[in-house]
Amino acid sequence: MPHETLDLARLAVMDATEAARLLREVRLATLSGLRPEVGPRAEIDESWRRMLSSGVDPDRDRRSGILGLDEIERRRRSSPLLEVLPVLRAGLLSVAEAARHIMVVADADGRLLWREGSTAVLRKGDAHGFVPGADWAESQVGTNGVGTPLVTRRPVQVHSAEHFVASHHTWTCAGAPVIDPRDGRLLGAVDVSGPLTSMHPAMLALVTAVAGLAEAELRTRHHAALERLRSVAAPLLGRVGGRALAVDDRGWPAAVTGMAPPDRLTLPRQPRAGRTWLPPLGMCTLEPLPGGWLVRVDDGAEAGAAAPGRLVLDLSRRHRPSVRLSGAAGDWTYELSPRHAELLYLLARDRAGLSAAQLAQDLFADPTRTVTVRAEMSRLRRRLAQVLAHRPYRIADEVDVEVVLPERPCDLLPHSTAPAVRRARTGAEPAAREPAP
């Protein structure tokens, strides 16, 4: 291991030419398998390791085809980021122009959809392939401020030779993912980029804050949509006997009668009117409403009669883990939050079950963090009623489980810092431990 690692504050106070030279030396030593006296920052080192494992050429710029104008427009119109583009512009554009940067917004695939800012830097971006429709996924062009946040789901600043591919070394960039607060889905990334001489360590904090404002705007719009659904559903629920509720298309409850308000429901992958089984309510009848569904709980049916008998945990897509439940009453699929993906992976790997302390050890290397584990497991069990059991936490014995892993172990939940997941990426065997109590 190197004696020390670089940090942004140190790079910021250095002469730009000297900082670039130091980063090139660190990169060359690391890629050559040597032990540099000063090592790359942790998030950069992890990204470089992914690139080396995936075969990205550090000395050759590789690009896939740029999308056509019609496809760019189609993606723009269908992107939830279109709703928050004014927020991103208001928070970043004036600063980007003053700092000789440009702002870019990409979708979850890493395709650039919008690009604005300094005219001179826009021209530099043209020559660099940093244009609408281009693919800036990390797996395509290496470590960068668009693709790397999409993999890790964390903000990152990439300066000069921290870019894996040498042709990007004249740039500095700071990017942050935008996460849908309604369901934890990755929507895309916002990035501010410019010539390396314009690097400022505060840019990452600014981009992170503005991405948070965009997520807050989505949350506000979500609450407004639920209020509209509530106004439509309230008269109907007043005439319904028994338990019933109105939910939006993502399963969030807007109004309820005859029962305590539940957490978000897991709707079928393609909901349609009629009877179906919904965790954790059991058999229900769905009726369409403007902006959602009226759900009537069939209290005369056996709650577990049509419970799913199969669970497929799909971890093959690096930043879109999902779970699919299937049974006699249909199929349900939804994307998982990073923490719930980690928990389900650990439980699927150890069908005998794990205690809260064991899960805390696997997630945080700290067996005392049981309160956090229990809270997350409570949320997950409310989503997957009759699939997850407890004491110890486990997937129910009668449920068949399949885990779909990525082709390369290094792509397993790349956002995760959990020790157990990191060991799985490298093929290290877990230490033996006592069975869960």
Side-chain angles (χ1 to χ4, degrees):
M1 294 294 291
H3 300 302
E4 59 177 314
T5 58
L6 291 169
D7 60 72
L8 290 175
R10 176 179 174 182
L11 293 173
V13 299
M14 294 177 65
D15 173 77
T17 302
E18 180 64 19
R21 182 194 62 77
L22 175 60
L23 288 171
R24 285 195 298 271
E25 291 177 354
V26 172
R27 173 179 174 273
L28 180 60
T30 302
L31 299 185
S32 300
L34 303 176
R35 180 189 178 198
E37 292 186 6
V38 180
R41 294 182 288 131
E43 59 267 37
I44 301 300
D45 184 54
E46 289 180 359
S47 177
W48 286 357
R49 292 179 187 277
R50 288 193 295 271
M51 300 305 93
L52 290 169
S53 298
S54 60
V56 173
D57 189 338
D59 298 314
R60 182 175 179 271
D61 198 349
R62 180 183 65 179
R63 299 291 169 83
S64 61
I66 294 176
L67 299 176
L69 291 178
D70 289 346
E71 177 62 14
I72 293 173
E73 284 303 318
R74 186 194 70 78
R75 292 194 181 214
R76 285 173 173 172
R77 289 192 301 270
S78 62
S79 173
L81 295 177
L82 179 62
E83 301 178 48
V84 296
L85 193 58
V87 175
L88 299 175
R89 284 173 171 151
L92 292 175
L93 199 50
S94 62
V95 176
E97 290 177 335
R100 292 186 297 124
H101 278 58
I102 56 175
M103 179 193 78
V104 298
V105 180
D107 63 16
D109 295 327
R111 291 285 185 173
L112 304 193
L113 298 184
W114 293 278
R115 186 190 71 149
E116 302 175 38
S118 165
T119 302
V121 181
L122 286 172
R123 286 197 295 268
K124 291 179 182 291
D126 291 342
H128 199 58
F130 209 46
V131 297
D135 184 354
W136 277 76
E138 188 190 65
S139 59
Q140 184 68 28
V141 296
T143 310
N144 71 90
V146 174
T148 300
L150 292 176
V151 172
T152 64
R153 298 174 69 108
R154 296 190 299 272
V156 67
Q157 192 156 7
V158 185
H159 181 60
S160 187
E162 290 182 320
H163 290 89
F164 186 76
V165 177
S167 58
H168 307 162
H169 290 180
T170 57
W171 284 80
T172 186
C173 52
V178 181
I179 309 296
D180 195 329
R182 296 165 288 192
D183 55 15
R185 184 166 52 104
L186 182 65
L187 301 180
V190 58
D191 166 89
V192 174
S193 295
L196 66 89
T197 54
S198 60
M199 181 265 193
H200 195 287
M203 193 62 76
L204 180 62
L206 176 63
V207 173
T208 302
V210 173
L213 290 175
E215 293 172 357
E217 175 66 16
L218 289 171
R219 188 178 294 107
T220 298
R221 289 171 177 259
H222 179 220
H223 290 164
L226 286 178
E227 190 60 39
R228 290 192 295 271
L229 177 58
R230 186 176 297 115
S231 66
V232 171
L236 296 174
L237 291 176
R239 298 192 295 269
V240 171
R243 296 187 294 162
L245 66 159
V247 299
D248 69 6
D249 290 330
R250 290 180 172 85
W252 287 104
V256 63
T257 186
M259 58 189 292
D263 288 336
R264 179 185 170 205
L265 294 184
T266 303
L267 295 175
R269 182 167 41 186
Q270 295 180 328
R272 56 176 180 265
R275 297 183 76 236
T276 189
W277 183 88
L278 295 179
L281 301 177
M283 291 304 299
C284 299
T285 300
L286 298 183
E287 300 175 24
L289 292 174
W293 296 89
L294 175 65
V295 181
R296 301 174 187 258
V297 183
D298 187 348
D299 290 314
E302 239 183 273
R310 182 172 178 76
L311 180 151
V312 178
L313 177 61
D314 188 351
L315 305 178
S316 62
R317 297 178 299 173
R318 295 200 300 173
H319 49 260
R320 293 181 181 177
S322 65
V323 63
R324 184 173 78 248
L325 306 175
S326 58
D331 292 343
W332 304 263
T333 299
Y334 65 92
E335 291 189 10
L336 294 163
S337 70
R339 182 67 72 215
H340 287 176
E342 291 170 336
L343 286 167
L344 277 180
Y345 169 70
L346 295 174
L347 296 177
R349 193 178 65 168
D350 196 332
R351 292 299 303 272
L354 298 167
S355 67
Q358 289 172 331
L359 285 170
Q361 178 66 37
D362 284 347
L363 290 174
F364 311 114
D366 182 356
T368 67
R369 294 186 60 178
T370 56
V371 173
T372 301
V373 167
R374 290 192 179 104
E376 290 292 347
M377 284 301 305
S378 178
R379 296 186 187 99
L380 188 56
R381 291 185 68 225
R382 286 196 293 269
R383 296 295 304 277
L384 301 178
Q386 298 173 318
V387 171
L388 294 180
H390 64 121
R391 297 180 183 173
Y393 294 116
R394 64 194 186 280
I395 299 174
D397 295 339
E398 62 272 17
V399 176
D400 292 329
V401 176
E402 178 185 354
V403 180
V404 182
L405 296 171
E407 292 183 4
R408 298 171 301 159
C410 65
D411 289 334
L412 175 65
L413 299 176
H415 61 269
S416 176
T417 59
V421 176
R422 283 180 162 174
R423 286 194 299 269
R425 290 193 201 120
T426 61
E429 291 294 328
R433 59 185 169 194
E434 295 294 324

